[in-house]
Amino acid sequence: MKKKQPKKRKPKKIQKPKPLRTVYNGIDVDGFTLADYQMEKALYDQLKAESNDENFSLLSLPQDNRLREIIENKRTMYLEFWNSKRIPTGGGRKSDKKILEDFKNLRSKKWKDILIKDANNNKIILWDFSSLDSGVNQYFPEMLDVPTTKGSVLDCLRDKDRFLNGYEKKILKPGFYKVEKTDSSFYSVFSQMIRMGSESHPVVNFPSLVAQYIVMESYYNTIKLNNGIENDNFVVLDECSGWAGRLAGILCSFHKLRNDYQSRYGRKLHITYLTTDPNKDVHERFAAIVNDWFSLVEPKHSLDYFHFHKQTLGCETPEFLSYCKGVLSDLNVSGANVALTSPPYFDQEQYSKDPSQSCVKYRNDYPSWVQNFLSGMIKNVYELLQPKGRFYLNIANTKKGSKLFPSETESVRLLKEHGMKEVVTYKMLLSGVPNKNCVNVTSVPNIKTKEIKLKKFEPVFVYEK
Ligand SMILES: C[S@@+](CC[C@H](N)C(=O)[O-])C[C@H]1O[C@@H](n2cnc3c(N)ncnc32)[C@H](O)[C@@H]1O
């Protein structure tokens, strides 16, 4: 008998990962190695020793000094790089592989992992210390060029003397210790230092895992109240999309919500993200993140269960209200289950020049901003929420010189005036220099806090319709 030939297995098709749609995909940043640094540092130490001047600084050297020239060349090179290709926010550019890794890690994070307790009063604190948002930040290099109190971080690159000063302070003076350890992530350490040297604080993203916590908490709250979700569609309203930190939070809660819903009710849950932001420059980037997430992170066809609606209208306007009402009616639901946002803090940061940007529309007019923007936004949220739906509002006071803009108390007043009831106020820890609002985190287990004792926080007001 003829021996049957074993069936030839078809070779498995290896799926090539699709490239992500970050704006500088495929660009590499080089040009500064550990050897460069060591050479510059030796030159600097030598110049300093020769000068015999206590107040020695690079700025006091003649323009044609070799070290000054090296640093100036570097400045123009990076500026040219920014002008032509945009360098990413924070540290160095991440590869597609690393961004994808961040996304997958975000997705697998447990939703309660960001909860810590205030050692003083046992109250809950929200702290996402994972740095996983940096994957999503990679879609928004503009974050480096948002003017804040001392201009934008990129303004440091534009100003010759400021760059020289920052370079000396953060790179050539003792303390640039990370460089000694490794040169593999050299560029990222370097750009971080430049950022710090510029003394201009960069805008930060809303921590995605905090957003995930809020979404999950409000989901459990909703199903407890209603024994399910209206029309099996969980709707999250975000009045100011920002830099997609909240979008990423919702994306990483997506499979958790759906798995839980399926096991409880035996039905498939849809999730809707309804949002707006006047910043037209970055509008398309949100759809890119959603597409990347669903083509690379979630199983096939999951996008059928995620509904993404974004506008560029001002969230305080009647136009936005009627747009949202239209979407909600199309989805056959009576309102959003939860609202979550972090609006502009008056005019502290100038995100874009679009006329409906709140810092453009209410320029230099805080009372009008409170009355029209803040109040209008809260009024719209109230109208769009389902009864008992919660509004999580992250906002902070700002200062200009000695003048205080008390947006926190104004928000609380307006939330109450518009008929909402207080539930709780969370403290959300953020990176940045500790100010008056600080939490001592030394007692938090499993967290490397050797150097950081105090962390800055901002409130998240939770109110219910
Ligand atoms: C970036 S967030 C505030 C910072 C916060 N930490 C965050 O990332 O969520 C503020 C956002 O509000 C947006 N914005 C400004 N005016 C607005 C308006 N009238 N309606 C909705 N969004 C607005 C800005 O474009 C910006 O993206």
Side-chain angles (χ1 to χ4, degrees):
M1 239 170 64
K2 225 180 170 187
K3 217 177 167 187
K4 257 191 180 174
Q5 286 289 327
K7 262 191 184 171
K8 259 195 189 165
R9 277 214 189 137
K10 269 193 184 167
K12 248 191 178 173
K13 261 194 187 167
I14 299 169
Q15 286 220 331
K16 229 177 145 192
K18 287 182 202 150
L20 295 170
R21 273 156 275 214
T22 55
V23 278
Y24 42 85
N25 187 38
I27 296 167
D28 258 322
V29 189
D30 279 320
F32 192 37
T33 62
L34 183 57
D36 285 338
Y37 163 73
Q38 281 162 343
M39 180 270 287
E40 288 171 19
K41 177 88 175 95
L43 210 54
Y44 178 76
D45 291 344
Q46 187 193 340
L47 284 165
K48 201 172 169 190
E50 282 167 6
S51 85
N52 271 334
D53 180 356
E54 259 183 34
N55 300 321
F56 169 84
S57 81
L58 285 180
L59 272 168
S60 63
L61 293 170
Q63 297 275 354
D64 61 356
N65 170 275
R66 188 166 156 239
L67 184 56
R68 268 192 88 144
E69 275 179 358
I70 292 173
I71 297 171
E72 176 56 12
N73 286 342
K74 194 161 290 165
R75 184 184 76 85
T76 47
M77 184 179 88
Y78 282 117
L79 195 55
E80 164 55 29
F81 193 81
W82 168 261
N83 288 335
S84 59
K85 297 180 176 134
R86 301 286 183 260
I87 50 171
T89 177
R93 184 189 81 87
K94 284 192 172 184
S95 64
D96 279 4
K97 199 172 149 223
K98 186 74 191 74
I99 298 172
L100 202 56
E101 234 171 67
D102 277 4
F103 280 2
K104 287 184 176 165
N105 285 333
L106 257 185
R107 186 181 185 271
S108 62
K109 279 275 172 199
K110 293 202 180 97
W111 69 281
K112 284 190 181 168
D113 271 3
I114 53 126
L115 291 183
I116 59 171
K117 286 245 169 98
D118 191 327
N120 291 327
N121 53 23
N122 233 17
K123 282 193 178 159
I124 282 176
I125 293 171
L126 312 176
W127 188 14
D128 169 8
F129 46 87
S130 69
S131 309
L132 292 172
D133 301 334
S134 51
V136 95
N137 287 349
Q138 299 278 312
Y139 289 75
F140 302 101
E142 294 80 357
M143 285 170 78
L144 269 187
D145 210 14
V146 172
T148 58
T149 33
K150 289 189 179 168
S152 79
V153 172
L154 254 295
D155 286 337
C156 166
L157 268 187
R158 297 185 180 108
D159 181 331
K160 218 172 163 175
D161 289 356
R162 193 169 159 196
F163 183 79
L164 194 70
N165 204 22
Y167 202 95
E168 178 171 14
K169 213 155 104 192
K170 290 290 168 191
I171 295 188
L172 296 175
K173 281 195 176 163
F176 193 31
Y177 62 96
K178 283 183 192 163
V179 177
E180 318 290 355
K181 295 181 188 154
T182 169
D183 69 343
S184 62
S185 61
F186 192 78
Y187 179 75
S188 94
V189 177
F190 166 67
S191 59
Q192 201 72 9
M193 291 295 136
I194 289 295
R195 201 188 82 177
M196 286 156 69
S198 80
E199 282 167 4
S200 185
H201 78 89
V203 292
V204 291
N205 212 336
F206 190 90
S208 301
L209 292 176
V210 171
Q212 161 168 267
Y213 175 83
I214 290 172
V215 170
M216 297 298 294
E217 183 181 76
S218 49
Y219 161 80
Y220 285 114
N221 193 41
T222 312
I223 57 169
K224 203 167 123 198
L225 275 169
N226 307 326
N227 194 25
I229 310 275
E230 191 184 11
N231 205 20
D232 299 335
N233 198 330
F234 189 69
V235 182
V236 183
L237 171 69
D238 177 356
E239 302 83 338
C240 312
S241 335
W243 309 106
R246 286 175 295 280
L247 168 64
I250 291 156
L251 291 174
C252 63
S253 67
F254 177 79
H255 71 293
K256 297 176 183 105
L257 294 173
R258 297 193 69 236
N259 290 347
D260 184 87
Y261 202 76
Q262 180 76 42
S263 68
R264 268 172 210 274
Y265 303 106
R267 298 194 301 273
K268 295 198 186 308
L269 182 67
H270 291 249
I271 288 125
T272 297
Y273 180 54
L274 180 52
T275 188
T276 188
D277 197 301
N279 189 346
K280 293 204 176 67
D281 294 343
V282 300
H283 181 64
E284 299 297 329
R285 238 67 72 63
F286 284 74
I289 294 171
V290 171
N291 286 326
D292 286 343
W293 187 277
F294 283 97
S295 53
L296 300 163
V297 181
E298 295 295 338
K300 257 187 177 176
H301 306 304
S302 332
L303 187 53
D304 297 347
Y305 296 92
F306 189 76
H307 309 277
F308 169 66
H309 299 271
K310 185 174 180 297
Q311 274 290 330
T312 51
L313 295 162
C315 66
E316 75 281 23
T317 60
E319 291 78 12
F320 181 61
L321 181 65
S322 81
Y323 166 75
C324 291
K325 283 186 170 169
V327 173
L328 294 169
S329 144
D330 290 347
L331 298 172
N332 211 5
V333 296
S334 57
N337 297 97
V338 59
L340 153 68
T341 208
S342 176
Y345 305 165
F346 181 40
D347 63 355
Q348 180 171 256
E349 299 170 343
Q350 289 102 55
Y351 305 100
S352 71
K353 296 195 166 70
D354 301 279
S356 41
Q357 262 296 332
S358 89
C359 65
V360 175
K361 202 164 163 188
Y362 312 103
R363 186 179 296 279
N364 294 331
D365 192 348
Y366 182 70
S368 164
W369 180 81
V370 172
Q371 201 184 325
N372 296 297
F373 175 78
L374 202 55
S375 177
M377 173 186 75
I378 294 172
K379 184 170 170 283
N380 281 351
V381 169
Y382 184 83
E383 281 215 34
L384 293 166
L385 276 176
Q386 289 186 6
K388 296 263 177 203
R390 286 181 178 178
F391 182 20
Y392 292 73
L393 174 64
N394 160 230
I395 195 160
N397 295 339
T398 50
K399 257 184 152 183
K400 227 178 244 171
S402 60
K403 196 166 166 44
L404 175 78
F405 299 105
S407 307
E408 294 173 27
T409 41
E410 293 292 2
S411 300
V412 167
R413 176 180 66 79
L414 289 166
L415 283 160
K416 289 180 180 160
E417 266 181 32
H418 286 293
M420 302 201 76
K421 281 185 235 73
E422 184 183 359
V423 178
V424 69
T425 300
Y426 288 132
K427 285 177 181 168
M428 176 170 76
L429 301 197
L430 293 167
S431 59
V433 185
N435 54 13
K436 258 196 339 209
N437 291 346
C438 282
V439 174
N440 189 332
V441 291
T442 37
S443 59
V444 179
N446 307 326
I447 290 166
K448 291 177 212 139
T449 50
K450 271 185 208 143
E451 289 147 48
I452 330 153
K453 286 195 177 66
L454 293 176
K455 290 288 286 180
K456 177 181 144 182
F457 77 85
E458 283 182 3
V460 178
F461 299 111
V462 188
Y463 276 71
E464 197 169 84
K465 177 166 170 176

